[in-house]
Amino acid sequence: MFEVDRFEWVGERLEVAGRWYGLRGHRFVRPVLILEADDGPRRMLAVLDHKPWAAEDGELWFAAFPWEGEPVESSGAELAVAPSVDVALSPPAVPGRPRRRASRTRKREEAPPADEVAALRAQLASEQRTVRRLAAELDAANDRLAASEAADAQRAELERVRDAALAERDEARASLEDARRAAAAEADDARSRAALDHDSVRDERDAEVRAREAAQHERDEALDQRAVSDWERTAAIAERDAALAERDHA
């Protein structure tokens, strides 16, 4: 429900001021004003000076619409603020002229009787209770929606954290695999160097063994030559002794 406080021309604008009731949860868009003028309806978009046009329950709401030319008489107006929210407005008074009534042929109605007034008041109270109940249900639905949106945001955050953890785990695995490959390559290089060192040591050892064997062979040959020399000397001494003995005998 919209309670109009002011609807009038101000300079080159048509300004609407009032208060909304029972419209929680509605998302207002840029207001549109349709004025039923004598030369046909005129459609105007609100200026952006008062954006956003949020409807706070019972708070003053304001919108202004640009107007080109002089103010004109009109039979009525319609204010639309959302796809499903529009209200009819009484025509604004042209500055310097009395306000045009919605219908010139409308007869003045007599005051309704007291029982009808009481019935209307009871109906109004019932409708107000219905409005409050619907507003409470709408508030509860909005709370559930906010809780659902919060849960969705929390779930999205958890998924983001999980994806980041998985990416970090994969990166750690890749780093560990690279380190393992590097260590394996280094170990292979070390084994290769050790094998080369082993072959070199073995070659040196074999060369030393061969050199030692050659020295032993030379020593054995020298010993054999010495033995032969000793035998030949002993034989020469024996021949000499035999020759001396034969000489002496002769």
Side-chain angles (χ1 to χ4, degrees), residues 141-190:
N142 288 333
D143 293 339
R144 290 193 296 272
L145 179 61
S148 176
E149 291 176 350
D152 292 340
Q154 185 177 9
R155 183 166 51 252
E157 178 65 17
L158 290 176
E159 291 178 354
R160 186 190 65 79
V161 172
R162 183 199 62 187
D163 293 341
L166 291 176
E168 186 176 356
R169 184 198 64 184
D170 294 340
E171 184 177 356
R173 284 182 176 177
S175 299
L176 182 61
E177 182 65 19
D178 293 340
R180 187 187 64 80
R181 291 175 180 174
E186 186 175 357
D188 292 339
D189 293 341

Short mmCIF file of all heavy atoms in Angstrom, two decimals, residues 141-190:
data_model
loop_
_atom_site.label_atom_id
_atom_site.label_comp_id
_atom_site.label_asym_id
_atom_site.label_seq_id
_atom_site.Cartn_x
_atom_site.Cartn_y
_atom_site.Cartn_z
N ALA A 141 10.21 -16.03 5.17
CA ALA A 141 10.73 -16.57 3.91
C ALA A 141 12.03 -15.89 3.52
O ALA A 141 12.98 -16.55 3.05
CB ALA A 141 9.69 -16.38 2.80
N ASN A 142 12.09 -14.57 3.78
CA ASN A 142 13.34 -13.86 3.49
C ASN A 142 14.47 -14.35 4.38
O ASN A 142 15.62 -14.47 3.95
CB ASN A 142 13.14 -12.35 3.67
CG ASN A 142 12.30 -11.74 2.57
OD1 ASN A 142 12.26 -12.27 1.45
ND2 ASN A 142 11.60 -10.67 2.87
N ASP A 143 14.13 -14.62 5.66
CA ASP A 143 15.15 -15.16 6.56
C ASP A 143 15.64 -16.52 6.09
O ASP A 143 16.85 -16.81 6.11
CB ASP A 143 14.59 -15.27 7.99
CG ASP A 143 14.32 -13.90 8.60
OD1 ASP A 143 14.91 -12.91 8.11
OD2 ASP A 143 13.53 -13.82 9.55
N ARG A 144 14.70 -17.36 5.66
CA ARG A 144 15.10 -18.68 5.14
C ARG A 144 15.95 -18.53 3.89
O ARG A 144 16.94 -19.25 3.69
CB ARG A 144 13.87 -19.53 4.85
CG ARG A 144 13.11 -19.99 6.10
CD ARG A 144 12.12 -21.08 5.76
NE ARG A 144 11.07 -20.61 4.86
CZ ARG A 144 9.93 -20.05 5.26
NH1 ARG A 144 9.69 -19.88 6.56
NH2 ARG A 144 9.02 -19.66 4.38
N LEU A 145 15.54 -17.58 3.04
CA LEU A 145 16.32 -17.35 1.83
C LEU A 145 17.71 -16.85 2.17
O LEU A 145 18.71 -17.29 1.58
CB LEU A 145 15.60 -16.34 0.93
CG LEU A 145 16.32 -15.95 -0.37
CD1 LEU A 145 16.50 -17.19 -1.25
CD2 LEU A 145 15.54 -14.89 -1.12
N ALA A 146 17.81 -15.94 3.16
CA ALA A 146 19.12 -15.43 3.57
C ALA A 146 19.97 -16.56 4.15
O ALA A 146 21.17 -16.65 3.88
CB ALA A 146 18.96 -14.30 4.59
N ALA A 147 19.32 -17.43 4.96
CA ALA A 147 20.07 -18.57 5.52
C ALA A 147 20.53 -19.50 4.42
O ALA A 147 21.67 -20.01 4.44
CB ALA A 147 19.19 -19.32 6.52
N SER A 148 19.65 -19.72 3.43
CA SER A 148 20.05 -20.58 2.30
C SER A 148 21.20 -19.96 1.52
O SER A 148 22.15 -20.65 1.13
CB SER A 148 18.85 -20.82 1.39
OG SER A 148 19.22 -21.58 0.25
N GLU A 149 21.11 -18.63 1.30
CA GLU A 149 22.19 -17.96 0.58
C GLU A 149 23.49 -18.01 1.38
O GLU A 149 24.58 -18.18 0.82
CB GLU A 149 21.80 -16.52 0.29
CG GLU A 149 20.67 -16.38 -0.74
CD GLU A 149 20.24 -14.95 -0.94
OE1 GLU A 149 20.69 -14.09 -0.14
OE2 GLU A 149 19.47 -14.68 -1.88
N ALA A 150 23.36 -17.86 2.72
CA ALA A 150 24.56 -17.95 3.56
C ALA A 150 25.16 -19.35 3.50
O ALA A 150 26.38 -19.53 3.43
CB ALA A 150 24.22 -17.58 5.00
N ALA A 151 24.26 -20.38 3.52
CA ALA A 151 24.76 -21.76 3.41
C ALA A 151 25.42 -21.98 2.06
O ALA A 151 26.47 -22.64 1.98
CB ALA A 151 23.60 -22.74 3.61
N ASP A 152 24.82 -21.42 0.99
CA ASP A 152 25.44 -21.56 -0.33
C ASP A 152 26.80 -20.87 -0.37
O ASP A 152 27.77 -21.40 -0.94
CB ASP A 152 24.52 -20.96 -1.40
CG ASP A 152 23.24 -21.78 -1.58
OD1 ASP A 152 23.24 -22.95 -1.17
OD2 ASP A 152 22.25 -21.23 -2.10
N ALA A 153 26.87 -19.68 0.26
CA ALA A 153 28.16 -18.98 0.28
C ALA A 153 29.19 -19.77 1.08
O ALA A 153 30.36 -19.88 0.68
CB ALA A 153 27.98 -17.58 0.88
N GLN A 154 28.75 -20.35 2.22
CA GLN A 154 29.68 -21.15 3.02
C GLN A 154 30.13 -22.39 2.25
O GLN A 154 31.31 -22.75 2.28
CB GLN A 154 29.01 -21.54 4.34
CG GLN A 154 29.95 -22.27 5.30
CD GLN A 154 29.27 -22.57 6.62
OE1 GLN A 154 28.06 -22.39 6.75
NE2 GLN A 154 30.03 -23.04 7.58
N ARG A 155 29.17 -23.02 1.54
CA ARG A 155 29.53 -24.19 0.75
C ARG A 155 30.49 -23.82 -0.37
O ARG A 155 31.47 -24.55 -0.64
CB ARG A 155 28.27 -24.83 0.17
CG ARG A 155 28.53 -26.11 -0.62
CD ARG A 155 27.25 -26.89 -0.88
NE ARG A 155 26.20 -26.08 -1.47
CZ ARG A 155 25.12 -25.67 -0.84
NH1 ARG A 155 24.94 -26.00 0.43
NH2 ARG A 155 24.20 -24.93 -1.44
N ALA A 156 30.25 -22.67 -1.00
CA ALA A 156 31.16 -22.22 -2.05
C ALA A 156 32.55 -21.95 -1.48
O ALA A 156 33.58 -22.28 -2.10
CB ALA A 156 30.61 -20.97 -2.74
N GLU A 157 32.60 -21.34 -0.27
CA GLU A 157 33.89 -21.08 0.36
C GLU A 157 34.61 -22.38 0.71
O GLU A 157 35.83 -22.51 0.51
CB GLU A 157 33.68 -20.24 1.62
CG GLU A 157 34.96 -19.93 2.40
CD GLU A 157 35.92 -19.05 1.62
OE1 GLU A 157 35.49 -18.43 0.62
OE2 GLU A 157 37.11 -18.98 2.00
N LEU A 158 33.83 -23.37 1.22
CA LEU A 158 34.44 -24.67 1.52
C LEU A 158 34.97 -25.34 0.26
O LEU A 158 36.06 -25.94 0.26
CB LEU A 158 33.41 -25.57 2.21
CG LEU A 158 33.01 -25.17 3.64
CD1 LEU A 158 31.91 -26.08 4.16
CD2 LEU A 158 34.22 -25.22 4.57
N GLU A 159 34.21 -25.24 -0.82
CA GLU A 159 34.68 -25.82 -2.09
C GLU A 159 35.94 -25.11 -2.57
O GLU A 159 36.86 -25.74 -3.09
CB GLU A 159 33.57 -25.72 -3.14
CG GLU A 159 32.38 -26.65 -2.85
CD GLU A 159 31.28 -26.49 -3.89
OE1 GLU A 159 31.42 -25.58 -4.75
OE2 GLU A 159 30.30 -27.25 -3.84
N ARG A 160 35.98 -23.78 -2.37
CA ARG A 160 37.17 -23.03 -2.78
C ARG A 160 38.38 -23.48 -1.96
O ARG A 160 39.47 -23.70 -2.50
CB ARG A 160 36.94 -21.53 -2.62
CG ARG A 160 38.07 -20.67 -3.15
CD ARG A 160 37.88 -19.23 -2.73
NE ARG A 160 37.98 -19.08 -1.30
CZ ARG A 160 39.13 -19.04 -0.64
NH1 ARG A 160 40.27 -19.14 -1.29
NH2 ARG A 160 39.15 -18.89 0.67
N VAL A 161 38.17 -23.62 -0.64
CA VAL A 161 39.27 -24.06 0.22
C VAL A 161 39.70 -25.47 -0.15
O VAL A 161 40.90 -25.79 -0.19
CB VAL A 161 38.83 -23.99 1.70
CG1 VAL A 161 39.87 -24.62 2.60
CG2 VAL A 161 38.60 -22.53 2.11
N ARG A 162 38.71 -26.34 -0.44
CA ARG A 162 39.05 -27.71 -0.83
C ARG A 162 39.85 -27.73 -2.13
O ARG A 162 40.85 -28.44 -2.25
CB ARG A 162 37.77 -28.53 -1.01
CG ARG A 162 38.01 -30.00 -1.34
CD ARG A 162 36.78 -30.61 -1.94
NE ARG A 162 36.43 -29.95 -3.19
CZ ARG A 162 35.31 -30.20 -3.88
NH1 ARG A 162 34.43 -31.04 -3.40
NH2 ARG A 162 35.08 -29.56 -5.00
N ASP A 163 39.40 -26.94 -3.12
CA ASP A 163 40.12 -26.90 -4.39
C ASP A 163 41.54 -26.37 -4.18
O ASP A 163 42.49 -26.87 -4.80
CB ASP A 163 39.36 -26.00 -5.38
CG ASP A 163 38.01 -26.60 -5.78
OD1 ASP A 163 37.85 -27.82 -5.58
OD2 ASP A 163 37.15 -25.85 -6.26
N ALA A 164 41.66 -25.34 -3.31
CA ALA A 164 43.01 -24.82 -3.04
C ALA A 164 43.88 -25.88 -2.37
O ALA A 164 45.07 -26.03 -2.70
CB ALA A 164 42.91 -23.57 -2.16
N ALA A 165 43.28 -26.65 -1.43
CA ALA A 165 44.04 -27.71 -0.76
C ALA A 165 44.44 -28.80 -1.74
O ALA A 165 45.57 -29.31 -1.70
CB ALA A 165 43.23 -28.29 0.39
N LEU A 166 43.52 -29.17 -2.64
CA LEU A 166 43.85 -30.18 -3.64
C LEU A 166 44.95 -29.69 -4.57
O LEU A 166 45.87 -30.45 -4.92
CB LEU A 166 42.59 -30.54 -4.45
CG LEU A 166 41.49 -31.30 -3.68
CD1 LEU A 166 40.27 -31.50 -4.56
CD2 LEU A 166 42.02 -32.64 -3.19
N ALA A 167 44.86 -28.42 -4.97
CA ALA A 167 45.90 -27.88 -5.84
C ALA A 167 47.25 -27.86 -5.12
O ALA A 167 48.29 -28.20 -5.70
CB ALA A 167 45.51 -26.47 -6.29
N GLU A 168 47.23 -27.48 -3.82
CA GLU A 168 48.47 -27.47 -3.05
C GLU A 168 49.02 -28.89 -2.88
O GLU A 168 50.24 -29.11 -2.96
CB GLU A 168 48.19 -26.85 -1.69
CG GLU A 168 49.44 -26.65 -0.83
CD GLU A 168 49.14 -25.93 0.46
OE1 GLU A 168 47.98 -25.52 0.65
OE2 GLU A 168 50.07 -25.77 1.28
N ARG A 169 48.11 -29.86 -2.68
CA ARG A 169 48.55 -31.25 -2.55
C ARG A 169 49.18 -31.74 -3.86
O ARG A 169 50.24 -32.39 -3.86
CB ARG A 169 47.37 -32.14 -2.19
CG ARG A 169 47.72 -33.60 -1.95
CD ARG A 169 46.51 -34.48 -2.04
NE ARG A 169 45.95 -34.45 -3.38
CZ ARG A 169 44.81 -35.09 -3.73
NH1 ARG A 169 44.13 -35.74 -2.82
NH2 ARG A 169 44.38 -35.02 -4.97
N ASP A 170 48.52 -31.43 -4.98
CA ASP A 170 49.06 -31.85 -6.27
C ASP A 170 50.42 -31.20 -6.52
O ASP A 170 51.34 -31.83 -7.05
CB ASP A 170 48.08 -31.47 -7.39
CG ASP A 170 46.78 -32.26 -7.30
OD1 ASP A 170 46.79 -33.32 -6.64
OD2 ASP A 170 45.78 -31.81 -7.87
N GLU A 171 50.54 -29.92 -6.13
CA GLU A 171 51.82 -29.23 -6.31
C GLU A 171 52.90 -29.87 -5.44
O GLU A 171 54.05 -30.05 -5.87
CB GLU A 171 51.66 -27.76 -5.96
CG GLU A 171 52.90 -26.93 -6.21
CD GLU A 171 52.67 -25.46 -5.91
OE1 GLU A 171 51.51 -25.10 -5.59
OE2 GLU A 171 53.63 -24.68 -6.00
N ALA A 172 52.52 -30.23 -4.19
CA ALA A 172 53.49 -30.89 -3.31
C ALA A 172 53.89 -32.26 -3.87
O ALA A 172 55.06 -32.64 -3.81
CB ALA A 172 52.88 -31.05 -1.90
N ARG A 173 52.91 -32.98 -4.42
CA ARG A 173 53.23 -34.27 -5.02
C ARG A 173 54.18 -34.10 -6.20
O ARG A 173 55.13 -34.88 -6.37
CB ARG A 173 51.94 -34.96 -5.47
CG ARG A 173 51.12 -35.57 -4.33
CD ARG A 173 49.89 -36.26 -4.86
NE ARG A 173 49.14 -36.92 -3.80
CZ ARG A 173 47.98 -37.56 -4.00
NH1 ARG A 173 47.46 -37.59 -5.22
NH2 ARG A 173 47.37 -38.12 -2.98
N ALA A 174 53.90 -33.10 -7.03
CA ALA A 174 54.77 -32.86 -8.18
C ALA A 174 56.18 -32.49 -7.73
O ALA A 174 57.18 -32.97 -8.28
CB ALA A 174 54.17 -31.75 -9.06
N SER A 175 56.27 -31.64 -6.68
CA SER A 175 57.59 -31.26 -6.16
C SER A 175 58.31 -32.47 -5.59
O SER A 175 59.53 -32.65 -5.79
CB SER A 175 57.43 -30.18 -5.08
OG SER A 175 56.82 -29.01 -5.62
N LEU A 176 57.55 -33.34 -4.86
CA LEU A 176 58.16 -34.54 -4.30
C LEU A 176 58.64 -35.49 -5.39
O LEU A 176 59.73 -36.07 -5.30
CB LEU A 176 57.14 -35.25 -3.39
CG LEU A 176 57.63 -36.51 -2.68
CD1 LEU A 176 58.80 -36.17 -1.75
CD2 LEU A 176 56.51 -37.15 -1.89
N GLU A 177 57.86 -35.59 -6.46
CA GLU A 177 58.27 -36.45 -7.57
C GLU A 177 59.52 -35.89 -8.25
O GLU A 177 60.43 -36.65 -8.60
CB GLU A 177 57.11 -36.56 -8.57
CG GLU A 177 57.38 -37.48 -9.75
CD GLU A 177 57.54 -38.93 -9.34
OE1 GLU A 177 57.10 -39.29 -8.24
OE2 GLU A 177 58.13 -39.70 -10.14
N ASP A 178 59.55 -34.57 -8.43
CA ASP A 178 60.75 -33.97 -9.02
C ASP A 178 61.97 -34.21 -8.13
O ASP A 178 63.07 -34.52 -8.64
CB ASP A 178 60.52 -32.46 -9.21
CG ASP A 178 59.47 -32.17 -10.26
OD1 ASP A 178 59.20 -33.07 -11.08
OD2 ASP A 178 58.91 -31.06 -10.25
N ALA A 179 61.78 -34.06 -6.81
CA ALA A 179 62.90 -34.29 -5.90
C ALA A 179 63.35 -35.75 -5.94
O ALA A 179 64.54 -36.05 -5.90
CB ALA A 179 62.49 -33.90 -4.47
N ARG A 180 62.35 -36.67 -6.03
CA ARG A 180 62.70 -38.09 -6.10
C ARG A 180 63.49 -38.40 -7.38
O ARG A 180 64.48 -39.13 -7.36
CB ARG A 180 61.43 -38.93 -6.06
CG ARG A 180 61.66 -40.44 -5.96
CD ARG A 180 60.37 -41.19 -6.09
NE ARG A 180 59.78 -41.01 -7.40
CZ ARG A 180 60.17 -41.67 -8.50
NH1 ARG A 180 61.18 -42.53 -8.42
NH2 ARG A 180 59.58 -41.46 -9.65
N ARG A 181 63.05 -37.82 -8.49
CA ARG A 181 63.76 -38.04 -9.75
C ARG A 181 65.17 -37.46 -9.68
O ARG A 181 66.12 -38.08 -10.17
CB ARG A 181 62.98 -37.40 -10.89
CG ARG A 181 61.66 -38.12 -11.21
CD ARG A 181 60.88 -37.38 -12.27
NE ARG A 181 59.62 -38.05 -12.57
CZ ARG A 181 58.68 -37.55 -13.38
NH1 ARG A 181 58.90 -36.36 -13.97
NH2 ARG A 181 57.57 -38.21 -13.59
N ALA A 182 65.28 -36.26 -9.11
CA ALA A 182 66.61 -35.65 -8.99
C ALA A 182 67.52 -36.51 -8.11
O ALA A 182 68.70 -36.72 -8.42
CB ALA A 182 66.48 -34.23 -8.42
N ALA A 183 66.96 -37.03 -6.99
CA ALA A 183 67.77 -37.88 -6.11
C ALA A 183 68.17 -39.17 -6.81
O ALA A 183 69.30 -39.65 -6.66
CB ALA A 183 66.97 -38.19 -4.83
N ALA A 184 67.23 -39.76 -7.60
CA ALA A 184 67.56 -40.98 -8.32
C ALA A 184 68.66 -40.72 -9.35
O ALA A 184 69.59 -41.52 -9.51
CB ALA A 184 66.30 -41.53 -9.00
N ALA A 185 68.55 -39.57 -10.05
CA ALA A 185 69.59 -39.24 -11.02
C ALA A 185 70.94 -39.03 -10.35
O ALA A 185 71.98 -39.48 -10.84
CB ALA A 185 69.17 -37.98 -11.80
N GLU A 186 70.91 -38.34 -9.20
CA GLU A 186 72.15 -38.12 -8.47
C GLU A 186 72.74 -39.43 -7.98
O GLU A 186 73.97 -39.64 -8.01
CB GLU A 186 71.88 -37.18 -7.29
CG GLU A 186 73.14 -36.76 -6.54
CD GLU A 186 72.85 -35.74 -5.47
OE1 GLU A 186 71.67 -35.32 -5.36
OE2 GLU A 186 73.79 -35.36 -4.75
N ALA A 187 71.85 -40.35 -7.52
CA ALA A 187 72.33 -41.66 -7.08
C ALA A 187 72.94 -42.44 -8.23
O ALA A 187 73.97 -43.11 -8.08
CB ALA A 187 71.18 -42.44 -6.43
N ASP A 188 72.30 -42.36 -9.40
CA ASP A 188 72.86 -43.04 -10.58
C ASP A 188 74.23 -42.48 -10.92
O ASP A 188 75.16 -43.24 -11.25
CB ASP A 188 71.90 -42.89 -11.76
CG ASP A 188 70.60 -43.68 -11.55
OD1 ASP A 188 70.62 -44.62 -10.71
OD2 ASP A 188 69.60 -43.35 -12.21
N ASP A 189 74.33 -41.13 -10.87
CA ASP A 189 75.63 -40.52 -11.14
C ASP A 189 76.67 -40.98 -10.12
O ASP A 189 77.84 -41.27 -10.49
CB ASP A 189 75.50 -38.99 -11.11
CG ASP A 189 74.66 -38.46 -12.25
OD1 ASP A 189 74.49 -39.21 -13.25
OD2 ASP A 189 74.17 -37.32 -12.16
N ALA A 190 76.27 -41.05 -8.86
CA ALA A 190 77.21 -41.49 -7.83
C ALA A 190 77.64 -42.94 -8.06
O ALA A 190 78.82 -43.28 -7.91
CB ALA A 190 76.58 -41.34 -6.44
#
